[in-house]
Amino acid sequence: MFTHLEALPADPLLGIIERFAKDTNPQKIDLGVGVYKDINGQTPILSSVKQAEAQLLDQQNSKAYLGARGDIQFAELMSELAFGQHHPALVAQRVAGLQTPGGCGALRVAAELLVRTKDEVTIWVSDPTWANHIPLLGSAGIQIKQYPYYDYDNKSIKFQQMLDVLQQIPEGDLVLLHACCHNPSGADLSQAQWQQVVDVLEARKIVPFIDMAYQGFGESLDDDAFGLRLVAERLPEAVFAVSCSKNFGLYRERVGVVGIITESASQVPPVISHLAQIVRGIYSMPPDHGAAIVRLILSQAELKQQWLQELQHMREQIQQTRESLVSIMSSLGHDQFGFVAQEKGMFSFLGITPQQVHRLAEESAIYLVDSSRINVAGLNVKNLPYFCESVAKIL
Ligand code: LMR
């Protein structure tokens, strides 16, 4: 049965983790997968998370099943974080949210719901988008098309071209938008651009699917959710996926939320029932630990305050690194990297060729994907000078 299967190449991002682990160069740097690293190259457990875990260890008195919806209070608290406490969609009870294993689980569960709603579902994704969007949505049977987004030559968003294509999209199709910290480009829509996009979606009756994996890593928790909040205020229906991997540093715990904005409160129970049935048929129930941690943090003022400070620290370190990268490259005679300081979140394209990417790995043990996307959160005051000198060498 399995004899004809041939080994597949490693996932480009996860393959880097293996190649990096085998490299013995003490100066090696992994800028592949998007994880925050401190000055020692470690991905620390946030102290708010540690405290919540201690509480769990002390107080949790059962490991009995919670059910396909997972932790209901967690999902409610996450909706408040995403939308802000008094958002009209929350007040009108038009938000159906459910715990999932990470943002990936949320994307897949939403995709399965969408293919239940009609025979052919088409979603338009940005060119480029996060590579895993394609299998997560496509494997559920959704057809995927692209709208123009990042201009590699000018290091900016091709906004007019994006709008022109959105204006041609047939009614009822979906458009996937990154709420903030666009992965892989780091180029985000301004608030004025969000308004224009939502005007088009409204006029064309296009349903937005907002992926928010980096809330708090761009400008602030509120600013980063601007697009999601606008969509939920102005449009009758929307889909969203939220991840706690980055902002709570809970990567391997797999914590996320899938959500649907419905036209009215009466549609929430049927939507939840379908989501729960889909979950039961894929993985039955989500893992509890990570969601319980987030619930404890968000429901206790002191712990929440501490988490907010830790999140701010990560955000500021990334922004500082972006600025230092630009100034060090400039001092080495390369003035073309100013865009890195304008972009947001974990990622930016360096704008070098795949051959140059390979030379960085071979000559300096610096690993990134062929597209030249770097995980800016993997750089810091200690390794940045070496990184910049190595880049200058291959330019
Ligand atoms: C990334 O793009 O590096 C992250 O979203 C992690 C992942 O799972 O790909």
Side-chain angles (χ1 to χ4, degrees):
M1 193 170 177
F2 307 111
T3 49
H4 65 289
L5 293 182
E6 286 179 18
L8 297 171
D11 175 284
L13 271 173
L14 305 185
I16 285 181
I17 297 177
E18 280 170 40
R19 285 164 57 212
F20 178 77
K22 284 190 195 138
D23 197 317
T24 51
N25 184 332
Q27 287 186 294
K28 65 183 177 177
I29 311 177
D30 175 3
L31 302 179
V33 75
V35 290
Y36 170 84
K37 291 182 195 158
D38 65 15
I39 195 161
N40 300 314
Q42 300 300 320
T43 301
I45 301 177
L46 300 187
S47 127
S48 49
V49 166
K50 269 284 184 206
Q51 286 179 50
E53 281 188 309
Q55 286 184 21
L56 272 182
L57 199 62
D58 189 43
Q59 294 162 12
Q60 198 176 45
N61 51 16
S62 175
K63 296 280 186 196
Y65 293 124
L66 280 182
R69 290 178 66 180
D71 187 325
I72 291 171
Q73 196 196 348
F74 156 81
E76 285 169 0
L77 289 163
M78 282 299 294
S79 293
E80 277 177 23
L81 191 70
F83 291 96
Q85 242 181 351
H86 306 293
H87 188 281
L90 284 184
V91 175
Q93 301 187 325
R94 290 170 49 225
V95 182
L98 189 130
Q99 182 196 332
T100 52
C104 289
L107 283 155
R108 185 47 178 267
V109 169
E112 296 290 343
L113 180 72
L114 292 169
V115 296
R116 282 187 179 200
T117 62
K118 57 181 188 161
D119 288 342
E120 290 199 356
V121 181
T122 301
I123 192 160
W124 296 71
V125 301
S126 59
D127 175 19
T129 195
W130 178 45
N132 214 25
H133 276 147
I134 313 300
L136 282 168
L137 302 170
S139 305
I142 295 185
Q143 208 197 335
I144 297 178
K145 294 188 176 169
Q146 286 186 319
Y147 59 85
Y149 190 78
Y150 189 68
D151 184 336
Y152 292 90
D153 294 329
N154 295 312
K155 322 289 185 205
S156 59
I157 299 174
K158 296 174 177 169
F159 189 62
Q160 193 50 51
Q161 290 181 50
M162 171 184 176
L163 276 190
D164 291 345
V165 170
L166 294 188
Q167 259 144 3
Q168 307 300 320
I169 291 180
E171 181 177 328
D173 279 6
L174 291 109
V175 171
L176 184 86
L177 295 156
H178 300 222
C180 59
C181 309
H182 184 267
N183 181 3
S185 73
D188 282 350
L189 295 172
S190 67
Q191 296 194 352
Q193 288 173 328
W194 270 107
Q195 299 276 7
Q196 282 177 270
V197 168
V198 175
D199 286 343
V200 175
L201 302 182
E202 189 174 33
R204 307 272 322 150
K205 296 192 168 53
I206 298 165
V207 182
F209 187 142
I210 312 286
D211 187 1
M212 186 158 70
Y214 300 89
Q215 189 184 8
F217 268 70
E219 302 270 2
S220 69
L221 279 171
D222 288 334
D223 287 327
D224 292 353
F226 177 84
L228 174 65
R229 294 175 185 184
L230 185 70
V231 152
E233 204 177 313
R234 298 250 323 260
L235 304 180
E237 294 184 324
V239 182
F240 62 92
V242 176
S243 169
C244 301
S245 295
K246 325 281 173 172
N247 52 9
F248 287 88
L250 285 169
Y251 308 91
R252 67 173 68 160
E253 297 296 352
R254 314 308 300 139
V255 197
V257 174
V258 61
I260 308 290
I261 312 288
T262 59
E263 267 195 61
S264 70
S266 64
Q267 284 143 3
V268 166
V271 165
I272 292 268
S273 72
H274 277 270
L275 291 172
Q277 194 191 62
I278 288 164
V279 165
R280 189 79 173 124
I282 311 180
Y283 51 82
S284 183
M285 296 169 209
D288 175 62
H289 187 68
I293 291 169
V294 173
R295 170 172 46 75
L296 288 177
I297 292 175
L298 294 181
S299 59
Q300 296 173 71
E302 221 172 289
L303 218 44
K304 183 171 177 186
Q305 196 48 40
Q306 184 168 358
W307 168 67
L308 288 172
Q309 278 167 13
E310 292 179 292
L311 178 59
Q312 183 180 354
H313 174 76
M314 291 191 283
R315 175 173 63 241
E316 287 175 356
Q317 180 178 314
I318 295 172
Q319 194 50 40
Q320 184 55 53
T321 302
R322 287 181 172 280
E323 284 159 25
S324 304
L325 186 154
V326 176
S327 72
I328 299 177
M329 288 311 296
S330 180
S331 70
L332 294 170
H334 299 282
D335 285 326
Q336 69 271 42
F337 291 96
F339 64 94
V340 174
Q342 307 309 318
E343 293 172 348
K344 297 282 170 222
M346 283 188 161
F347 309 113
S348 278
F349 287 120
L350 270 190
I352 58 174
T353 64
Q355 289 73 25
Q356 289 171 315
V357 169
H358 297 164
R359 280 188 59 197
L360 269 182
E362 280 153 24
E363 296 171 21
S364 306
I366 296 173
Y367 291 90
L368 37 143
V369 271
D370 282 2
S371 66
S372 88
R373 186 194 83 162
I374 55 166
N375 170 32
V376 181
L379 292 169
N380 54 60
V381 283
K382 221 156 120 186
N383 63 13
L384 193 58
Y386 173 70
F387 169 79
C388 291
E389 283 154 24
S390 305
V391 172
K393 260 196 246 163
I394 54 92
L395 283 176

mmCIF file of all heavy atoms in Angstrom, residues 13-14 32-35 104 130 132 183 214 246 347 373, ligand 1:
data_model
loop_
_atom_site.group_PDB
_atom_site.id
_atom_site.type_symbol
_atom_site.label_atom_id
_atom_site.label_comp_id
_atom_site.label_asym_id
_atom_site.label_seq_id
_atom_site.Cartn_x
_atom_site.Cartn_y
_atom_site.Cartn_z
ATOM 1 N N LEU A 13 10.545 25.977 5.292
ATOM 2 C CA LEU A 13 10.786 26.640 6.580
ATOM 3 C C LEU A 13 11.286 25.642 7.625
ATOM 4 O O LEU A 13 12.270 25.893 8.325
ATOM 5 C CB LEU A 13 9.493 27.275 7.092
ATOM 6 C CG LEU A 13 9.224 28.706 6.637
ATOM 7 C CD1 LEU A 13 7.842 29.144 7.072
ATOM 8 C CD2 LEU A 13 10.282 29.645 7.195
ATOM 9 N N LEU A 14 10.612 24.495 7.702
ATOM 10 C CA LEU A 14 10.979 23.530 8.737
ATOM 11 C C LEU A 14 12.309 22.855 8.398
ATOM 12 O O LEU A 14 13.070 22.464 9.288
ATOM 13 C CB LEU A 14 9.856 22.502 8.921
ATOM 14 C CG LEU A 14 8.474 23.130 9.224
ATOM 15 C CD1 LEU A 14 7.434 22.072 9.512
ATOM 16 C CD2 LEU A 14 8.542 24.102 10.415
ATOM 17 N N GLY A 32 14.884 31.667 9.657
ATOM 18 C CA GLY A 32 13.828 31.005 8.893
ATOM 19 C C GLY A 32 12.467 31.158 9.544
ATOM 20 O O GLY A 32 11.775 32.171 9.353
ATOM 21 N N VAL A 33 12.082 30.190 10.344
ATOM 22 C CA VAL A 33 10.724 30.181 10.892
ATOM 23 C C VAL A 33 10.508 31.364 11.849
ATOM 24 O O VAL A 33 11.443 31.818 12.519
ATOM 25 C CB VAL A 33 10.432 28.813 11.575
ATOM 26 C CG1 VAL A 33 11.134 28.702 12.920
ATOM 27 C CG2 VAL A 33 8.948 28.554 11.705
ATOM 28 N N GLY A 34 9.278 31.886 11.861
ATOM 29 C CA GLY A 34 8.982 33.081 12.643
ATOM 30 C C GLY A 34 8.825 32.818 14.130
ATOM 31 O O GLY A 34 7.732 32.547 14.598
ATOM 32 N N VAL A 35 9.933 32.907 14.863
ATOM 33 C CA VAL A 35 9.844 32.855 16.327
ATOM 34 C C VAL A 35 10.679 34.001 16.890
ATOM 35 O O VAL A 35 11.723 34.354 16.334
ATOM 36 C CB VAL A 35 10.346 31.519 16.944
ATOM 37 C CG1 VAL A 35 9.407 30.382 16.636
ATOM 38 C CG2 VAL A 35 11.751 31.189 16.498
ATOM 39 N N CYS A 104 -3.255 27.845 12.495
ATOM 40 C CA CYS A 104 -3.387 26.878 11.389
ATOM 41 C C CYS A 104 -4.690 26.103 11.535
ATOM 42 O O CYS A 104 -5.433 25.926 10.563
ATOM 43 C CB CYS A 104 -2.225 25.890 11.395
ATOM 44 S SG CYS A 104 -0.673 26.616 10.898
ATOM 45 N N TRP A 130 1.603 33.936 3.078
ATOM 46 C CA TRP A 130 2.282 32.886 3.864
ATOM 47 C C TRP A 130 2.099 31.555 3.132
ATOM 48 O O TRP A 130 0.962 31.194 2.785
ATOM 49 C CB TRP A 130 1.640 32.843 5.257
ATOM 50 C CG TRP A 130 2.194 31.783 6.165
ATOM 51 C CD1 TRP A 130 3.514 31.463 6.365
ATOM 52 C CD2 TRP A 130 1.436 30.903 7.007
ATOM 53 N NE1 TRP A 130 3.618 30.454 7.281
ATOM 54 C CE2 TRP A 130 2.366 30.087 7.687
ATOM 55 C CE3 TRP A 130 0.078 30.738 7.255
ATOM 56 C CZ2 TRP A 130 1.970 29.109 8.596
ATOM 57 C CZ3 TRP A 130 -0.316 29.766 8.160
ATOM 58 C CH2 TRP A 130 0.626 28.961 8.824
ATOM 59 N N ASN A 132 1.954 28.517 3.866
ATOM 60 C CA ASN A 132 1.057 27.479 4.393
ATOM 61 C C ASN A 132 -0.431 27.822 4.225
ATOM 62 O O ASN A 132 -1.292 26.964 4.447
ATOM 63 C CB ASN A 132 1.382 27.210 5.871
ATOM 64 C CG ASN A 132 1.180 25.761 6.251
ATOM 65 O OD1 ASN A 132 1.256 24.871 5.404
ATOM 66 N ND2 ASN A 132 0.897 25.512 7.517
ATOM 67 N N ASN A 183 2.788 38.616 6.443
ATOM 68 C CA ASN A 183 3.747 37.528 6.307
ATOM 69 C C ASN A 183 3.678 37.030 4.866
ATOM 70 O O ASN A 183 2.631 36.525 4.472
ATOM 71 C CB ASN A 183 3.377 36.395 7.288
ATOM 72 C CG ASN A 183 4.340 35.223 7.230
ATOM 73 O OD1 ASN A 183 5.311 35.249 6.514
ATOM 74 N ND2 ASN A 183 4.039 34.184 8.003
ATOM 75 N N TYR A 214 -0.433 38.036 14.415
ATOM 76 C CA TYR A 214 0.627 38.838 15.052
ATOM 77 C C TYR A 214 0.086 40.037 15.813
ATOM 78 O O TYR A 214 0.761 41.068 15.889
ATOM 79 C CB TYR A 214 1.623 39.310 13.967
ATOM 80 C CG TYR A 214 2.276 38.155 13.243
ATOM 81 C CD1 TYR A 214 1.689 37.598 12.110
ATOM 82 C CD2 TYR A 214 3.453 37.592 13.720
ATOM 83 C CE1 TYR A 214 2.267 36.517 11.457
ATOM 84 C CE2 TYR A 214 4.039 36.515 13.080
ATOM 85 C CZ TYR A 214 3.439 35.983 11.946
ATOM 86 O OH TYR A 214 4.018 34.921 11.319
ATOM 87 N N LYS A 246 2.536 33.751 18.637
ATOM 88 C CA LYS A 246 3.590 34.768 18.710
ATOM 89 C C LYS A 246 3.387 35.692 19.907
ATOM 90 O O LYS A 246 4.306 35.928 20.668
ATOM 91 C CB LYS A 246 3.601 35.614 17.435
ATOM 92 C CG LYS A 246 3.252 34.865 16.179
ATOM 93 C CD LYS A 246 4.386 34.041 15.639
ATOM 94 C CE LYS A 246 3.890 33.191 14.487
ATOM 95 N NZ LYS A 246 4.904 32.488 13.750
ATOM 96 N N PHE A 347 8.644 39.859 9.837
ATOM 97 C CA PHE A 347 9.285 39.553 8.553
ATOM 98 C C PHE A 347 9.512 40.749 7.642
ATOM 99 O O PHE A 347 8.753 41.710 7.662
ATOM 100 C CB PHE A 347 8.441 38.522 7.785
ATOM 101 C CG PHE A 347 8.107 37.316 8.611
ATOM 102 C CD1 PHE A 347 6.795 37.059 8.992
ATOM 103 C CD2 PHE A 347 9.101 36.455 9.044
ATOM 104 C CE1 PHE A 347 6.488 35.957 9.779
ATOM 105 C CE2 PHE A 347 8.808 35.354 9.831
ATOM 106 C CZ PHE A 347 7.491 35.108 10.201
ATOM 107 N N ARG A 373 13.093 36.148 2.636
ATOM 108 C CA ARG A 373 12.370 36.590 3.834
ATOM 109 C C ARG A 373 13.258 36.337 5.046
ATOM 110 O O ARG A 373 13.786 35.244 5.208
ATOM 111 C CB ARG A 373 11.061 35.799 3.978
ATOM 112 C CG ARG A 373 10.198 36.318 5.126
ATOM 113 C CD ARG A 373 9.081 35.350 5.500
ATOM 114 N NE ARG A 373 9.543 34.305 6.410
ATOM 115 C CZ ARG A 373 8.740 33.547 7.153
ATOM 116 N NH1 ARG A 373 7.428 33.710 7.083
ATOM 117 N NH2 ARG A 373 9.230 32.606 7.953
HETATM 118 C C1 LMR B 1 6.330 31.499 9.752
HETATM 119 O O1 LMR B 1 5.825 31.935 8.704
HETATM 120 O O2 LMR B 1 7.531 31.348 9.889
HETATM 121 C C2 LMR B 1 5.444 31.158 10.905
HETATM 122 O O3 LMR B 1 4.144 31.516 10.661
HETATM 123 C C3 LMR B 1 5.600 29.768 11.371
HETATM 124 C C4 LMR B 1 5.068 28.725 10.442
HETATM 125 O O4 LMR B 1 4.388 27.819 10.919
HETATM 126 O O5 LMR B 1 5.318 28.768 9.231
#
